[in-house]
């Protein structure tokens, strides 16, 4: 069940109204996530393609504000309101709660309290601490991005990298990183085989976060950067003596798409079986 401290009943009730009109719960949730991503990227064509699936005569007979497209928008607003109050993984909590009525969901994410402990064990410093180098926080099985959000509240200036082979989870993480206004790369693909099927970049700004889907060439550049950084990190760890510190060997490796250079990696991968 969803985290008990997070009130998501209003959002679930809004999505349930759409579900009751003959759409599966999983389809409703998946389309809602896609609509939010497309809206934030100003991608009208794929947005309207999804909306068309909910424009049968019976649906359009509902008064303005009660059509399915209006309910999707209402749920988006409710999500933003709850995120603003809590800075927590409301989206993942909705997934867990709403998915209880469907066998198509089937995932429960790491509790927020456990994520907090994991971030502390991984060495994510508080934003008040003085560090010379930018941290990189990596979660190779990110689920809805909950661990990245917890780390982001502790160190919002870090670079975050999340990966999950489930396309819905990857999209949820991209939305969450955007909502929390984090610099992040979110990858859809298997972290064990280092396969990338797609990726999103979220960027910080004083006006709020932004998100965009990377094109094929940019995904390949990101793949090369991640692979190179990982191989050099492993090589550095194998060659380092116990008293040589925690340098990851990433100082001179610039990420693609113009983000600044990370030099300290706080990996959350030791807990990857939790999602």
């Amino acid at each position: 069940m969803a985290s008990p401290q997070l009130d998501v009943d209003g959002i679930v009730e809004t999505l349930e109204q759409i579900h009751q009109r003959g759409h599966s719960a999983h389809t409703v949730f998946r389309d809602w996530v896609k609509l939010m991503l497309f809206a934030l990227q100003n991608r009208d064509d794929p947005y309207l393609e999804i909306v068309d699936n909910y424009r049968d005569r019976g649906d359009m007979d509902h008064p303005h504000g009660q059509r399915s497209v209006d309910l999707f928008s209402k749920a988006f607003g409710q999500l933003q309101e709850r995120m603003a109050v809590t800075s927590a993984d409301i989206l993942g909590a909705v997934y867990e709660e709403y998915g209880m009525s469907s066998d198509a969901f089937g995932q429960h994410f790491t509790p927020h309290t456990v994520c907090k402990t994991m971030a502390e064990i991984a060495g994510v410093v508080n934003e008040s601490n003085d560090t010379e180098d930018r941290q990189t926080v990596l979660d190779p099985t990110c689920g809805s991005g909950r661990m990245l959000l917890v780390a982001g509240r502790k160190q919002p200036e870090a670079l975050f990298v999340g990966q999950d082979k489930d396309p819905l989870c990857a999209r949820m993480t991209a939305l969450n990183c955007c909502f929390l206004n984090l610099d992040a790369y979110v990858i859809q693909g298997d972290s064990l085989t280092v396969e990338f099927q797609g990726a999103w970049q979220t960027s910080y700004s004083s006006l709020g976060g932004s998100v965009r889907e990377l094109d094929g060439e940019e995904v390949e550049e990101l793949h090369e950067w991640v692979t190179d950084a990982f191989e050099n990190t492993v090589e550095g760890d194998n060659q380092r003596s116990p008293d040589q510190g925690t340098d990851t060997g990433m100082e001179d490796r610039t990420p693609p798409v113009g983000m600044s250079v990370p030099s300290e990696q706080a990996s959350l991968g030791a807990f990857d079986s939790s999602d």
Side-chain angles (χ1 to χ4, degrees), residues 67-85:
R67 300 168 302 175
S68 291
V69 64
D70 301 322
L71 295 173
F72 276 127
S73 180
K74 178 182 177 180
F76 188 9
Q78 292 172 312
L79 174 65
Q80 291 177 307
E81 290 174 359
R82 296 299 300 149
M83 284 287 295
V85 172

Side-chain angles (χ1 to χ4, degrees), residues 136 138 159 161 185 187 194 196 221-237 240 247-256 261-265:
T136 303
L138 166 67
L159 172 63
V161 181
Y185 292 114
I187 303 157
V194 201
F196 289 15
E221 290 177 1
L222 180 61
H223 182 274
E224 292 177 1
W225 174 70
V226 170
T227 303
D228 185 53
F230 175 76
E231 289 177 349
N232 281 275
T233 299
V234 172
E235 181 180 350
D237 288 341
R240 187 181 304 117
D247 180 9
T248 62
M250 298 174 66
E251 299 88 341
D252 298 324
R253 309 187 185 283
T254 304
V261 180
S263 63
E264 181 182 352
Q265 185 181 62

Side-chain angles (χ1 to χ4, degrees), residues 146-178:
R146 186 169 294 176
M147 291 183 286
L148 298 180
L149 293 190
V150 171
R153 292 199 299 270
K154 295 174 68 66
Q155 181 51 268
E157 295 183 356
L159 172 63
F160 299 87
V161 181
Q163 183 167 350
D164 202 285
K165 63 181 181 180
D166 186 331
L168 180 55
C169 286
R171 290 186 173 95
M172 284 194 286
T173 298
L175 283 170
N176 272 330
C177 289
C178 176

Side-chain angles (χ1 to χ4, degrees), residues 26 62 111 137 146 148 158 181 190-191 244 247 262:
H26 186 266
H62 289 286
V137 181
R146 186 169 294 176
L148 298 180
N181 202 4
D190 193 330
S191 59
Q244 283 183 297
D247 180 9

Side-chain angles (χ1 to χ4, degrees), residues 12 25 29 93-106 108:
V12 170
F29 187 87
V94 173
Y95 175 99
E96 294 170 320
E97 185 71 28
Y98 186 54
M100 291 177 66
S101 63
S102 171
D103 293 335
F105 287 75
H108 293 275

Side-chain angles (χ1 to χ4, degrees), residues 90-132:
I90 300 296
L91 187 55
V94 173
Y95 175 99
E96 294 170 320
E97 185 71 28
Y98 186 54
M100 291 177 66
S101 63
S102 171
D103 293 335
F105 287 75
Q107 295 191 64
H108 293 275
F109 305 119
T110 307
H112 287 81
T113 52
V114 177
C115 290
K116 181 179 179 181
T117 301
M118 290 161 59
E120 293 172 352
I121 293 173
V124 180
V125 301
N126 292 320
E127 60 177 315
S128 58
N129 290 355
D130 293 328
T131 57
E132 295 181 359

Side-chain angles (χ1 to χ4, degrees), residues 2 6-16 78 82 94 97:
L6 299 179
D7 179 11
V8 298
D9 290 347
I11 304 173
V12 170
E13 290 171 3
T14 300
L15 296 177
E16 183 62 21
Q78 292 172 312
R82 296 299 300 149
V94 173
E97 185 71 28

